[in-house]
Amino acid sequence: MSYQRLSRQGGVGLALALAVVACGGASLNQAKLAETQTAMQAAETLGAANDPKAKQSLQRARDELAEAKRLAKDGDEDRGNLYLERATADAELASQLKRTASEEEKARAAWAKSKAMIDVRAPQ
Amino acid sequence: MKSKLYRLALAGLPLSLAACASAGPSQELKTARDAYAKTRQSAAQVNPEGTLEAGRALRAAEKAHSDDAGSALERTHAYVATRKSELAMAQAGEARARADREKAQQVYQAELEREVGALHQELQAKQSASDEANRERVGWRQKGGDLVITLSGVVFETGGYELSPDAKTRLDVVIHAAKQNPSRTLTIAGFTDDTGRAETNRELSQKRANAVKAYLEGQGVASSRIVSVGRGESNPVASNDTTEGRAENRRVEITLERPEPSERMPVKGVDPEPMPAPEP
């Protein structure tokens, strides 16, 4: 791995750590926090907010992350870390619900195309 | 491997673990157990890996319950176990939807094959019929040795040149025919109704022909085989005094042209079978 790439990764890691401190997550388990944030970012990138069930799950994840930070700020890091586990699970579910919805939509479109082909062949 | 994972998933988790704990299970744990039972029933066969993962999560929750019933740890692990079960169900749903889509694509392809086969048979049967009779068919006619396909009706809106989804479906038949007959070139002629100025209509019809050409190229028909031309409001096939007539005139005609005799390949279903060589 090149020095430049290592520097970039180190820079990204430092930026992430600074962001975590700024957002009040300093006392939470950093590995769990990073896992939660990665899972939420993935769900957002997939477009979970565009599907009702996925959006609900993603919102739960956001609420749980906020609760985790609040608990950590109040000195209850242990419970805060438990909320991170919940948030990660909800974010991962949000991503999967979006993927499933997308695949179901593709299947519906494929059947509609088949039906249109059959209708085209019918006498006019 | 998959059947082994399935058996492991079914072997699953004895629900009697709860009896080991001194206090009753939390509501979260009860929910997690129900969710896992549903997952085993509905998703284990399609998604054994996901079901196993859900089972592992539930075991962690049961252990937390055994160690300290009703604790925050038990409730959290049970919450996560429920989500893992839901995740496994959603993964199974994705797999089923993918299989369904593939089946739809197979049906579509079969219909396409049938359509082209039927069209070739129709053209062969109608070779000696008049143009008047051919006009009653569904947008196909034979002109000498050429095949002329007409897309009219809902193809473009007045003033527009974007293909409608229905037009694209009909063009799939053309694409299939073009690929089955690689020696034929395609001339795409765009036509408009007489709304507006003649020069504007000519430019619009060129854009419509170009839109069809672009779609065919995007679907794998070689650009070198396709010529697109705008005919404007010339050669109307219906009266421009009615809405229906104007819709008919907003059309695209695609001619699959028979190649010159020196470069011809016989087209099955259209050309007569070649005579056997005489004995020396």
Side-chain angles (χ1 to χ4, degrees):
Chain A
M1 196 175 288
S2 69
Y3 174 72
Q4 283 164 333
R5 193 185 280 185
L6 278 169
S7 289
R8 250 202 312 275
Q9 286 183 343
V12 168
L14 177 62
L16 189 62
L18 286 171
V20 162
V21 170
C23 296
S27 54
L28 290 168
N29 180 302
Q30 295 304 293
K32 282 186 197 262
L33 180 60
E35 196 182 349
T36 302
Q37 287 172 328
T38 300
M40 286 175 63
Q41 180 66 47
E44 283 159 5
T45 303
L46 268 175
N50 298 331
D51 174 76
K53 285 184 188 171
K55 185 178 177 181
Q56 208 173 31
S57 202
L58 183 57
Q59 188 55 50
R60 279 200 302 267
R62 288 185 181 129
D63 294 343
E64 284 149 358
L65 176 59
E67 181 65 7
K69 288 176 179 173
R70 189 193 69 75
L71 287 164
K73 197 176 168 190
D74 288 349
D76 195 350
E77 294 88 359
D78 288 344
R79 284 187 65 209
N81 287 326
L82 291 179
Y83 267 88
L84 287 182
E85 289 186 32
R86 290 175 181 241
T88 301
D90 276 316
E92 287 171 351
L93 180 59
S95 288
Q96 182 56 55
L97 288 169
K98 174 61 183 168
R99 276 193 293 269
T100 302
S102 296
E103 197 59 50
E104 286 169 347
E105 179 54 38
K106 285 179 190 171
R108 276 192 291 273
W111 279 114
K113 193 177 174 189
S114 287
K115 186 178 179 304
M117 172 57 74
I118 293 166
D119 290 347
V120 161
R121 289 186 59 232
Q124 293 181 9
Chain B
M1 176 63 180
K2 212 172 179 176
S3 60
K4 187 179 175 183
L5 284 168
Y6 174 52
R7 283 199 296 276
L8 278 172
L10 281 185
L13 187 68
L15 297 179
S16 58
L17 274 176
C20 299
S22 54
S26 61
Q27 186 54 51
E28 287 91 339
L29 186 53
K30 287 180 191 171
T31 302
R33 288 171 182 170
D34 290 342
Y36 180 66
K38 278 185 198 159
T39 300
R40 278 179 58 192
Q41 194 176 16
S42 309
Q45 196 154 18
V46 178
N47 182 21
E49 294 91 349
T51 304
L52 265 178
E53 180 70 22
R56 275 196 281 271
L58 183 57
R59 274 195 291 281
E62 297 287 3
K63 185 177 182 309
H65 173 66
S66 293
D67 292 345
D68 187 1
S71 64
L73 188 66
E74 174 202 313
R75 295 202 307 277
T76 297
H77 282 186
Y79 183 94
V80 169
T82 300
R83 295 293 171 257
K84 292 286 187 188
S85 287
E86 290 170 358
L87 187 76
M89 295 278 276
Q91 287 166 336
E94 183 187 4
R96 286 190 194 101
R98 190 173 302 118
D100 198 30
R101 175 163 61 100
E102 284 164 7
K103 188 175 174 190
Q105 286 167 342
Q106 284 166 9
V107 168
Y108 176 81
Q109 194 59 38
E111 287 297 319
L112 196 63
E113 297 277 347
R114 241 195 306 272
E115 168 72 1
V116 175
L119 284 166
H120 277 165
Q121 283 178 3
E122 283 173 12
L123 283 166
Q124 203 170 16
K126 287 289 178 181
Q127 267 177 8
S128 58
S130 66
D131 278 354
E132 186 62 32
N134 281 342
R135 194 181 282 195
E136 292 173 5
R137 307 306 291 190
V138 183
W140 286 77
R141 68 178 194 276
Q142 189 166 355
K143 189 178 173 184
D146 299 340
L147 313 175
V148 182
I149 304 137
T150 304
L151 268 65
S152 59
V154 183
V155 182
F156 308 104
E157 292 301 319
T158 302
Y161 52 91
E162 191 177 322
L163 284 167
S164 69
D166 177 53
K168 285 182 181 175
T169 300
R170 283 186 274 168
L171 281 171
D172 284 346
V173 176
V174 174
I175 291 160
H176 188 91
K179 288 180 179 176
Q180 291 287 91
N181 299 275
S183 64
R184 287 185 179 246
T185 56
L186 291 86
T187 297
I188 303 169
F191 296 88
T192 66
D193 56 25
D194 69 350
T195 307
R197 293 172 55 242
E199 180 56 25
T200 307
N201 285 335
R202 196 202 61 74
E203 287 169 3
L204 179 60
S205 65
Q206 180 68 60
K207 286 179 181 174
R208 285 173 176 168
N210 290 347
V212 172
K213 180 173 187 250
Y215 182 74
L216 297 186
E217 286 169 357
Q219 300 299 312
V221 181
S223 175
S224 56
R225 292 176 62 192
I226 310 172
V227 169
S228 59
V229 61
R231 301 262 188 243
E233 57 194 56
S234 64
N235 298 86
V237 295
S239 168
N240 278 304
D241 293 335
T242 66
T243 306
E244 294 81 8
R246 286 193 293 277
E248 288 293 312
N249 289 332
R250 291 193 297 270
R251 71 192 189 281
V252 170
E253 286 183 356
I254 303 165
T255 305
L256 276 82
E257 291 165 341
R258 203 176 202 193
E260 293 301 315
S262 60
E263 48 186 308
R264 263 183 60 196
M265 290 165 59
V267 177
K268 195 174 174 184
V270 177
D271 292 326
E273 294 295 319
M275 297 292 290
E279 296 284 339

